[in-house]
């Protein structure tokens, strides 16, 4: 132990599961920590499997949207088509286009990439050959300090896709972006079409910036990646709250329907623009301060070492309750829309879409905790990802499939799309479609 009771770097090597260290560092009584973990784990299981049905059973809220619109547990393509007002053929075309783009990236990586995959070579600052460093030199892609402290997928030096799992898994964000944009301009009309279009653009920015960040680890690209991700997450809440505002204006304010619709659509757009500007200003400041150009200061490892700086707030110890609260964020995130539906709208919208939201979010969010920035030591990654030595094809494919961040991308790509679909179904109920 170091001064202040913090751990020593020798006790926390990269790749080691640090959950035990977090447990020991937490001064809370063992029974309280155990209770916190047990409640969180059981709660997340019940949340992912039963929460929509429990809400419907407990409140008696209308759950007939799927039946009324002809959806009978058919394919996901059918659900996307029905909720967004586009054809199944269009959805299939969007899928082919989205995944086709990433297939081309794989081909480009195979034929244009070069270099070696030997992780034992520590000094990368002197590597200058084109085959080993295909990204622009000005992007400082040899600066891997923050990336390697955040993510456990190993780096393939000299490749276009340095981490294929974390990069190719962004395909679902591209899929979601195109679906949102197509439905905005060619699907069911909506009073929120301008805000929806902006949401689609932000999903596209998320796709591009996340691709650059995970493929090249260019330090500058992480800031627009996090900015666009936060904005996309918050937009769905803004949209639900705007529906709530519309219902309140009509029900309690006696406002005319047309004026209430215009007010709700305008408010949604303005609030989202405010979020874009506010978060953009925050991440611009972080970029100027080079917050993520060096060590990952908000990681569990940095906080156990007493060297943390959580988004500019300084050192905040990482306790069991901290991890449990973070793990439970999906419950909070979906709890706000559910409260709005139950208290004011009296319609659950599409139960099928809601199931897609809670299950994909719970799986992606929870598994993500085993990446290097939090617990580290993911069992599957330890099997497939050698910290030293040359990578084989098996280790490359295995680590790409089981990378916690790749799993997060795959599942939350569906979460954002399903969340938007569910919001559109609730909107149908509000406007009587």
């Amino acid at each position: 132990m170091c001064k202040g009771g913090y751990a020593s770097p020798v006790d926390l090597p990269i790749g080691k599961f640090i959950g035990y260290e977090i447990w020991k560092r937490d001064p809370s009584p063992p029974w309280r920590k155990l209770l916190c973990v047990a409640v969180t784990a059981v709660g997340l299981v019940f949340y992912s499997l039963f929460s929509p049905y429990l809400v419907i059973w407990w409140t008696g809220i209308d759950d007939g949207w799927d039946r009324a619109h002809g959806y009978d547990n058919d394919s996901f393509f059918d659900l996307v088509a029905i909720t967004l007002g586009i054809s199944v053929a269009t959805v299939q075309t969007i899928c082919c286009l989205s995944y086709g783009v990433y297939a081309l990236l794989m081909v480009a990586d195979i034929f244009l990439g070069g270099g070696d995959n030997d992780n034992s070579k520590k000094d990368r600052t002197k590597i200058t050959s084109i085959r080993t460093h295909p990204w622009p030199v000005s992007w400082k892609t040899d600066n891997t300090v923050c990336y390697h402290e955040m993510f456990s997928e190993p780096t393939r030096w000299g490749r276009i896709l340095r981490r294929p799992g974390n990069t190719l898994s962004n395909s679902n964000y591209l899929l979601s972006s195109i679906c949102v944009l197509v439905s905005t301009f060619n699907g069911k009309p909506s009073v929120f079409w301008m805000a929806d279009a902006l949401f689609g653009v932000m999903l596209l920015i998320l796709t591009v910036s996340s691709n650059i960040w995970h493929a090249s680890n260019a330090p500058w690209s992480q800031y627009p990646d996090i900015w666009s991700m936060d904005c996309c997450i918050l937009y769905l809440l803004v949209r639900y709250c705007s529906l709530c505002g519309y219902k309140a204006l009509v029900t309690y304010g006696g406002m005319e329907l047309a004026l209430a619709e215009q007010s709700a659509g305008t408010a949604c757009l303005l609030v989202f623009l405010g979020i874009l500007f506010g978060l953009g200003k925050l991440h611009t400041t972080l970029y100027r301060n080079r917050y993520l150009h060096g060590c990952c200061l908000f990681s569990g490892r940095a906080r156990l070492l007493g060297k943390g700086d959580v988004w500019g707030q300084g050192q905040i110890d990482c306790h069991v309750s901290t991890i449990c609260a973070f793990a439970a964020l999906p419950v909070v995130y979906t709890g706000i829309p559910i409260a709005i539906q139950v208290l004011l709208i009296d319609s659950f919208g599409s139960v099928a879409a809601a199931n897609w939201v809670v299950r994909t979010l719970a799986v992606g969010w929870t598994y993500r905790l085993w990446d290097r920035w939090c617990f580290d030591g993911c069992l599957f990654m330890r099997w497939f990802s050698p910290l030293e030595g040359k990578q084989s094809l098996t280790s490359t494919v295995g680590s790409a499939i089981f990378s916690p961040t790749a799993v997060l991308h795959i599942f939350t790509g569906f979460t954002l799309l399903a969340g938007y679909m569910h919001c559109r179904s609730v909107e149908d109920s509000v406007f009587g479609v």
Side-chain angles (χ1 to χ4, degrees):
M1 284 288 179
C2 298
K3 184 178 179 181
Y6 291 108
S8 165
V10 234
D11 300 325
L12 301 176
I14 290 294
K16 176 185 177 180
F17 175 69
I18 63 173
Y20 302 124
E21 299 295 332
I22 294 173
W23 180 279
K24 289 190 294 184
R25 175 69 185 168
D26 190 340
S28 304
W31 67 266
R32 187 178 298 172
K33 292 185 282 190
L34 186 61
L35 179 64
C36 191
V37 172
V39 169
T40 304
V42 173
L44 283 171
V45 171
F46 272 86
Y47 163 80
S48 61
L49 295 178
F50 308 116
S51 57
Y53 303 110
L54 286 174
V55 170
I56 293 167
W57 172 77
W58 183 264
T59 64
I61 192 173
D62 176 30
D63 63 340
W65 190 93
D66 292 314
R67 293 187 299 274
H69 290 77
Y71 182 77
D72 187 23
N73 294 320
D74 300 316
S75 71
F76 184 69
F77 289 149
D78 293 315
L79 184 60
V80 175
I82 292 171
T83 51
L84 302 188
I86 54 182
S87 68
V88 174
T90 300
V91 180
Q92 292 172 338
T93 301
I94 293 172
C95 284
C96 292
L97 175 62
S98 302
Y99 297 135
V101 168
Y102 282 82
L104 290 176
L105 282 178
M106 292 176 65
V107 171
D109 179 73
I110 292 170
F111 288 101
L112 301 180
D116 65 80
N117 294 327
D118 191 346
N119 292 328
S120 64
K121 297 180 179 179
K122 299 295 186 180
D123 187 7
R124 298 292 166 180
T125 59
K126 297 180 181 179
I127 297 175
T128 56
S129 72
I130 295 300
R131 287 181 61 79
T132 311
H133 198 171
W135 293 91
V137 176
S138 61
W139 285 14
K140 309 293 184 184
T141 59
D142 278 342
N143 178 2
T144 60
V145 176
C146 187
Y147 196 96
H148 287 167
E149 290 189 5
M150 289 183 70
F151 308 106
S152 49
E153 185 177 10
T155 296
R156 304 185 312 149
W157 295 102
R159 310 301 301 217
I160 292 177
L161 306 181
R162 288 185 173 180
R163 299 99 193 165
N166 291 353
T167 306
L168 298 173
S169 54
N170 287 297
S171 56
N172 281 347
Y173 294 137
L174 179 59
L175 169 68
S176 300
S177 171
I178 299 175
C179 282
V180 170
L181 290 172
V182 169
S183 69
T184 298
F185 296 105
N186 291 295
K188 291 186 292 189
S190 171
V191 298
F192 303 109
W193 71 271
M194 285 190 288
D196 286 349
L198 192 53
F199 173 55
V201 171
M202 290 306 298
L203 281 169
L204 187 58
I205 293 174
L206 172 61
T207 304
V208 174
S209 57
S210 185
N211 281 339
I212 295 174
W213 167 235
H214 291 289
S216 73
N217 64 261
W220 65 265
S221 61
Q222 186 170 190
Y223 302 92
D225 176 27
I226 299 176
W227 168 66
S228 54
M229 175 182 65
D230 291 344
C231 291
C232 289
I233 291 171
L234 290 174
Y235 175 69
L236 296 177
L237 296 182
V238 172
R239 206 178 191 283
Y240 279 111
C241 290
S242 299
L243 281 172
C244 175
Y246 167 82
K247 190 74 173 179
L249 287 174
V250 173
T251 305
Y252 302 108
M255 185 177 289
E256 293 182 2
L257 296 182
L259 181 57
E261 290 179 7
Q262 185 178 12
S263 301
T266 304
C268 183
L269 177 62
L270 292 178
V271 170
F272 191 42
L273 284 171
I275 290 173
L276 295 181
F277 177 78
L279 290 178
K281 186 176 179 182
L282 169 64
H283 288 290
T284 300
T285 302
L286 292 173
Y287 169 75
R288 288 172 178 165
N289 294 334
R290 299 298 191 262
Y291 177 73
L292 295 172
H293 276 58
C295 299
C296 180
L297 297 173
F298 61 81
S299 70
R301 183 172 273 101
R303 292 160 75 171
L304 284 173
L305 295 172
K307 300 177 180 179
D309 180 9
V310 185
W311 302 109
Q313 300 179 56
Q315 165 68 17
I316 300 176
D317 283 355
C318 188
H319 294 158
V320 172
S321 56
T322 309
I323 301 296
C324 290
F326 187 83
L329 281 179
V331 181
V332 179
Y333 182 71
T334 54
I336 295 173
I338 288 174
I340 291 173
Q341 293 167 244
V342 171
L343 297 176
L344 197 59
I345 297 176
D346 196 32
S347 172
F348 197 82
S350 171
V351 179
N355 278 326
W356 272 91
V357 172
V358 297
R359 291 170 186 175
T360 55
L361 182 56
V363 172
W365 193 264
T366 305
Y367 187 65
R368 177 198 189 195
L369 296 177
W370 269 262
D371 220 335
R372 217 165 262 166
W373 65 275
C374 190
F375 285 140
D376 199 0
C378 175
L379 182 61
F380 300 112
M381 297 302 290
R382 291 169 67 181
W383 286 346
F384 288 108
S385 304
L387 293 176
E388 300 290 340
K390 193 174 182 64
Q391 293 174 244
S392 65
L393 178 62
T394 302
S395 65
T396 297
V397 174
S399 59
I401 292 173
F402 290 105
S403 165
T405 293
V407 172
L408 173 78
H409 288 166
I410 292 169
F411 279 86
T412 55
F414 283 123
T415 301
L416 290 171
L417 177 57
Y420 178 71
M421 290 156 51
H422 183 259
C423 198
R424 292 297 299 264
S425 69
V426 174
E427 179 184 346
D428 290 344
S429 301
V430 170
F431 293 114
V433 178

